[in-house]
């Protein structure tokens, strides 16, 4: 049993609840930032998307669109994004806000811990802006993954459809993990929507939400770097008699 699975199964509940096969997929998925160059067949990606489309969707709106990139097309996109990141990054901004401008204390603490753990694991000091920029640039090569996805949503839709989209993105990552692949969701692609739009012929009504890198992880069985809050920190149980 992997370390994440052991964490899930820790406690008295482990004696009465048998693990499900989906548990290993959920706890084993991680944001992979180093892929090997093993190719992924189009039929595999098609299957992943075919499964992912069954994400819950209010009124069955299905508010997602995906641009699937590989080979020369992906290389061309990466080159354009890297150039923009190197020469004009301050001129680009996402069309939506991912983080609140003033994060409440608990969430700010978690974000700061992420920075400390993530950049610390790479030997990059928090004050090393150039080192952080070089690491950010790796996003635009899809961390070496053979397949990159650009996910968009119709800008005329409301926040409920964004909930649906989030579940669809999660389904993609879980379906990929079920086929021995890993993934990394990447909001940073939204920043360069003006670069992506002409390259991929993205219609004006579609807003770039994120990218997703998909492929085989260079290193298998990695320990989870980021801690997660235990359930007593985020769940309130009411009405149970046991």
């Amino acid at each position: 049993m992997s370390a994440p699975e052991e964490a899930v199964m820790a406690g008295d509940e482990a004696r009465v609840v048998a693990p499900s096969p989906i548990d290993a997929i959920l706890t084993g998925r991680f944001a992979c930032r180093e892929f090997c160059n093993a190719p992924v067949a189009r039929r595999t990606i098609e299957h992943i998307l075919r499964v992912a489309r069954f994400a819950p969707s209010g009124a069955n709106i299905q508010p997602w669109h995906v641009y699937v990139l590989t080979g020369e097309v992906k290389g061309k996109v990466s080159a354009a994004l890297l150039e923009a990141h190197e020469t004009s990054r301050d001129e680009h901004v996402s069309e939506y806000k991912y983080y609140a401008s003033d994060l409440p204390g608990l969430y700010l603490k978690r974000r700061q811990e992420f920075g400390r753990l993530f950049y610390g694991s790479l030997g990059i000091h928090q004050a090393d802006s150039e080192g952080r920029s070089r690491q950010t640039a790796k996003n635009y090569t899809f961390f070496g993954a053979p397949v990159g996805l650009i996910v968009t949503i119709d800008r005329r839709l409301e926040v409920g459809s964004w909930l649906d989209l989030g579940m669809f993105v999660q389904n993609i990552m879980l379906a990929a993990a079920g086929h021995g692949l890993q993934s990394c969701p990447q909001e940073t692609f939204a920043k360069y929507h003006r670069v992506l739009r002409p390259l991929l012929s993205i219609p004006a009504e579609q807003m770039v939400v994120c990218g997703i890198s998909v492929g085989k992880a260079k290193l298998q069985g990695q320990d989870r770097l980021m801690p997660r809050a235990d359930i007593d920190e985020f769940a309130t149980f009411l009405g149970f008699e046991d």
Side-chain angles (χ1 to χ4, degrees):
M1 183 178 289
S2 69
E5 288 176 279
E6 289 175 354
V8 169
M9 297 308 298
D12 292 340
E13 196 70 8
R15 291 196 288 267
V16 296
V17 177
S20 160
I22 192 66
D23 293 349
I25 294 175
L26 287 165
T27 58
R29 187 209 65 78
F30 63 96
C32 181
R33 293 181 174 86
E34 193 171 12
F35 293 87
C36 68
N37 58 5
V40 177
R42 172 172 172 164
R43 63 180 177 275
T44 301
I45 299 298
E46 287 180 344
H47 180 80
I48 288 169
L49 295 176
R50 193 169 288 118
V51 172
R53 67 195 168 124
F54 288 98
S57 178
N60 200 31
I61 286 177
Q62 305 170 70
W64 43 76
H65 194 93
V66 183
Y67 297 82
V68 185
L69 315 178
T70 193
E72 292 183 5
V73 174
K74 183 172 72 71
K76 183 178 180 180
V77 167
S78 290
L81 292 172
L82 287 169
E83 181 180 6
H85 178 69
E86 181 65 27
T87 64
S88 59
R89 73 188 71 158
D90 294 337
E91 299 174 14
H92 296 269
V93 63
S94 173
E95 294 188 273
Y96 70 96
K97 289 183 66 174
Y98 193 96
Y99 299 106
S101 299
D102 186 16
L103 281 173
L106 171 63
Y107 310 115
L108 178 61
K109 180 181 177 181
R110 289 174 178 171
R111 186 179 185 183
Q112 291 170 338
E113 182 182 38
F114 168 84
R116 178 178 60 81
L117 291 173
F118 177 62
Y119 290 109
S121 72
L122 299 171
I124 300 173
H125 193 274
Q126 283 272 50
D128 183 1
S129 59
E130 284 304 311
R132 290 161 65 97
S133 177
R134 286 193 298 271
Q135 178 60 35
T136 297
K138 294 180 180 180
N139 281 277
Y140 309 125
T141 65
F142 298 91
F143 295 115
V147 176
L149 311 181
I150 301 297
V151 181
T152 67
I153 190 171
D154 192 312
R155 68 177 67 252
R156 296 167 293 186
L157 300 178
E158 292 291 352
V159 66
S161 292
W162 284 72
L163 295 175
D164 297 349
L165 180 65
M167 289 184 278
F168 172 70
V169 169
Q170 177 80 337
N171 268 11
I172 290 174
M173 295 188 291
L174 295 179
H179 286 273
L181 303 173
Q182 284 297 345
S183 59
C184 185
Q186 298 156 267
E187 177 272 338
T188 188
F189 282 96
K191 177 178 180 178
Y192 293 107
H193 59 93
R194 290 193 287 114
V195 176
L196 291 167
R197 194 170 299 282
L199 287 172
L200 304 180
S201 299
I202 299 175
E205 69 270 14
Q206 289 184 22
M207 184 187 300
V208 175
V209 176
C210 67
I212 309 174
S213 297
V214 181
K216 284 191 173 294
K218 192 169 185 178
L219 297 176
Q220 301 293 331
Q222 297 185 50
D223 292 333
R224 184 173 294 279
L225 180 62
M226 297 298 161
R228 292 300 172 102
D230 205 350
I231 61 172
D232 61 359
E233 297 184 50
F234 64 81
T236 302
F237 293 88
L238 304 170
F240 288 88
E241 296 181 359
D242 54 344

